[in-house]
Structures are given as structure tokens and as C-alpha cells.
Amino acid sequence: MMRTPDFANKVLSRRCNTQAFALIDSVLASILLVIMTVSLQSLFEISRKGILFSNGLDQADRDIHTVMNSIRQLGMTYHYCGNAGTSNTTACNQSTNSLLTNPQAYYSPISSDLNNFKNDCNHDAKQGINTDRILNGGNASGNSGVLGALKNIQDTRPLNVNITSYTQDNKENRRIKVVLSKSVTVNDVTRTLTRQYYFSPMLALWCP
């Protein structure tokens, strides 16, 4: 039985169509593979950035609390002698251990210092925190006393922690509000962690 030319043309046409469909399938599979690869790579990059940010912010939080501890220590050792508040306890002939173990040591043994301390406690700081004679170390420039110590921390930025601001939160007990922050940057994206810390120098609590 001889095959007709029409039959041969139909067979060839089917073969060509099969090859065409196989080519289209391969192209579509390749495109889908590329899309999946790009998507997975994007998800991996997002996950990696998230981990880096998480680790960086955890470290930033630890660093901020380390600086907070320094401020807390400052509040515990800030003393009054020579007619002014000071963070230099050696100038008062007092050791840090003495101040921590004997709270009465916050009162200077010199009667003139005690009287001046009472007067400074009763001074009304109408012009703001820098004019508070207990906090400013006798210098309204803000460069002395506990304010000067805070300014020094602000300027030196230990552990790259910023003191954004420090303000008087309560005049009666001389409580100070300190705002601290640290920024974490990953691939030109920056996030900033901010914490607030409130403290009153122990010396201020001895004001009559």
C-alpha cells in the first residue's frame, strides 16, 4: 500500500508542531527557573539583612545600657565640696567606696560647705537646668558638675552611643531625663535605636 503525498505532509507537519511545542516548553521552563532563582535570591538577601539588623540592634541595646550604667555610676559618686558639686571625688578627700558604703559622706565635714550646700539646694533655677547650682558645679555654662560630665559623654560618644539630649524632668528631686541612641547601618539602610533614662544624683536627694 503506497502512501500518498498528503499523508507524508501530515506526518511532517505533526513533527514540526511537536518540535515547536518542545521549544516553547523549554523557553517557559527557563523563564520560570530564572524567576524562581531571582525570587529565592531576593528572599535570602532580605533574610540576611534582617539577621544583620537584628544582631546590630541587639548590640546597640547592650551598648546603650553600658553607657546608662556609666551615668548611673556618675549619679552615685557625684559629690559636693569646695562650695560646688563635683564628679571628682578625690577633690573632696572621699573615695568612691566611701560614698557608696557611707551615704552620710555626701555631707562635707566642713561646716561652710554644708551651709553653702543648703543654700544651693534652695536656689530656684528659673533659667533652666544650667542654673541649678547643685547640678552645674557652680558654673552655669553647663561644662561643670554633673552637667559637664554628661556633656563629656555626649561629646566623646562612648561605644558610638549618642546622648541626644538631657533635660531636667523634675525640679524638686532634680531628676534628669537622658535620651540615648545608636544607629545601625546595613547596605546603606540605617535604623536608629533610642532609649530614655531617668536618674537623680544621690547628692540631690540629700538636699534639706
Side-chain angles (χ1 to χ4, degrees):
M1 179 177 177
M2 297 184 63
R3 300 189 180 188
T4 64
D6 290 339
F7 179 79
N9 290 336
K10 289 180 179 179
V11 171
L12 290 175
S13 177
R14 288 176 182 174
R15 287 180 179 177
C16 291
N17 290 338
T18 302
Q19 292 176 354
F21 280 123
L23 179 60
I24 292 174
D25 290 344
S26 299
V27 171
L28 289 176
S30 299
I31 293 174
L32 290 174
L33 182 61
V34 170
I35 292 174
M36 290 178 61
T37 302
V38 172
S39 299
L40 289 174
Q41 184 177 4
S42 178
L43 288 173
F44 175 78
E45 183 65 17
I46 292 173
S47 177
R48 186 184 71 85
K49 287 182 180 179
I51 293 172
L52 290 176
F53 267 125
S54 179
N55 293 339
L57 291 173
D58 285 344
Q59 183 61 53
D61 189 56
R62 290 191 292 270
D63 292 342
I64 288 175
H65 279 83
T66 298
V67 177
M68 283 184 182
N69 288 333
S70 299
I71 297 173
R72 182 183 295 111
Q73 184 71 11
L74 167 66
M76 296 176 67
T77 58
Y78 186 63
H79 192 47
Y80 189 95
C81 66
N83 300 332
T86 179
S87 56
N88 181 12
T89 57
T90 59
C92 307
N93 295 322
Q94 297 281 0
S95 67
T96 301
N97 290 335
S98 174
L99 293 172
L100 296 178
T101 59
N102 179 21
Q104 196 68 30
Y106 275 96
Y107 278 117
S108 172
I110 303 175
S111 59
S112 61
D113 270 357
L114 180 56
N115 291 332
N116 288 325
F117 172 64
K118 292 179 180 179
N119 291 333
D120 286 347
C121 282
N122 294 326
H123 174 74
D124 188 4
K126 296 180 180 180
Q127 305 301 320
I129 189 172
N130 283 0
T131 60
D132 189 310
R133 292 178 180 175
I134 295 299
L135 301 178
N136 68 13
N139 186 342
S141 67
N143 296 318
S144 300
V146 71
L147 301 180
L150 285 173
K151 185 176 185 300
N152 181 63
I153 296 174
Q154 186 180 53
D155 292 340
T156 57
R157 298 177 67 246
L159 301 175
N160 291 323
V161 173
N162 298 306
I163 291 185
T164 306
S165 65
Y166 50 92
T167 55
Q168 193 165 41
D169 179 67
N170 188 302
K171 290 180 66 175
E172 292 183 1
N173 60 14
R174 292 175 167 81
R175 186 172 65 182
I176 301 173
K177 174 186 174 181
V178 184
V179 180
L180 307 100
S181 66
K182 183 172 182 178
S183 296
V184 177
T185 301
V186 176
N187 293 351
D188 297 327
V189 177
T190 300
R191 294 181 183 175
T192 301
L193 183 68
T194 302
R195 293 284 184 266
Q196 295 181 354
Y197 177 64
Y198 297 82
F199 82 107
S200 295
M202 190 178 292
L203 174 66
L205 304 180
W206 282 91
C207 280

